[in-house]
Amino acid sequence: MLLLEEENKKSLQTEFVEIIKDLMTNETVQKMKDYKQHYDTSCFEHCRNVAYYSYLICRKYNLDYVSVARAGMLHDLFLYDWRQRQDGRKGLHAFTHPKTALENASKLFSLNEKECDIILKHMWPLTIKFPKYKESYVITLVDKYCALEESIKAYKSKRSIQKLYRYAYVFLSMLVILR
């Protein structure tokens, strides 16, 4: 039973990679690795995570898993450090980056209507207009989940480093005292 689950998992991963291979190997999409999204997670990693989890959900519920995987990989294709003020950008990043991502993705790839809706509305309810497709809602929810997971992971990592420093300080203090 466990072997079947592992084989199925590998099969799903292989299918997922095949669906987004052309996106992942694109030079511009690769540049997303140069930008941090949430703490230590790159924009590329974040998008790949959102794409994969959304793909799994949509595949399970017989939704358009191909469009959701592709749009998920492109949903944050904005290529700038969102923590830094950008010349010419009007409005806050959270409100403006879906449009930027859609413009960038549309220049590079032929997108269907569903993929456009997913990218443009993935920040709902901030983007105000309701998503048109079930797959758009999936990406919206999975994007929030991944952002939270990445933030918690970074927080735990930071806390464990702080603990390590505390223990090292105590250990070194004991060495000095015992001398």
Side-chain angles (χ1 to χ4, degrees), residues 20 27 50 56 59 70 86 93 104-105 111 117 134-135:
I20 65 166
E27 188 178 318
V50 170
L56 291 175
R59 198 166 190 298
R70 295 181 65 77
Q86 304 296 311
H93 168 77
N104 291 340
L111 304 174
D117 189 71
K134 291 176 184 176
E135 293 84 353

Side-chain angles (χ1 to χ4, degrees), residues 42-169:
S42 74
C43 194
F44 183 90
E45 287 175 278
H46 168 73
C47 286
R48 189 183 59 221
N49 291 339
V50 170
Y52 185 63
Y53 292 139
S54 298
Y55 155 81
L56 291 175
I57 291 167
C58 288
R59 198 166 190 298
K60 179 178 175 95
Y61 292 103
N62 296 315
L63 298 172
D64 185 356
Y65 59 86
V66 173
S67 291
V68 88
R70 295 181 65 77
M73 191 64 215
L74 301 171
H75 82 277
D76 280 338
L77 185 62
F78 49 80
L79 301 176
Y80 57 81
D81 182 354
W82 63 269
R83 292 164 191 83
Q84 303 292 318
R85 184 167 182 78
Q86 304 296 311
D87 292 336
R89 187 175 78 211
K90 293 185 168 116
L92 297 173
H93 168 77
F95 296 94
T96 62
H97 82 271
K99 185 177 178 190
T100 303
L102 178 59
E103 288 169 359
N104 291 340
S106 295
K107 289 175 189 172
L108 298 169
F109 307 102
S110 177
L111 304 174
N112 64 37
E113 184 182 331
K114 192 176 289 184
E115 291 165 342
C116 291
D117 189 71
I118 291 168
I119 295 168
L120 192 58
K121 304 203 182 131
H122 79 271
M123 288 299 290
W124 182 81
L126 294 179
T127 50
I128 300 175
K129 289 185 180 179
F130 285 90
K132 187 174 178 180
Y133 302 98
K134 291 176 184 176
E135 293 84 353
S136 302
Y137 285 101
V138 170
I139 286 276
T140 296
L141 295 172
V142 171
D143 183 43
K144 293 353 171 226
Y145 169 81
C146 287
L148 185 61
E149 182 181 55
E150 292 158 6
S151 299
I152 289 170
K153 180 182 168 190
Y155 175 76
K156 284 182 177 179
S157 175
K158 185 177 179 182
R159 294 281 298 163
S160 63
I161 289 170
Q162 288 173 339
K163 255 186 192 174
L164 181 65
Y165 284 143
R166 193 174 313 127
Y167 290 131
Y169 176 77

Side-chain angles (χ1 to χ4, degrees), residues 10-23:
K10 285 182 182 178
S11 171
L12 289 171
Q13 289 171 341
T14 301
E15 181 182 56
F16 170 72
V17 169
E18 274 304 308
I19 291 168
I20 65 166
K21 185 192 288 184
D22 64 314
L23 308 179

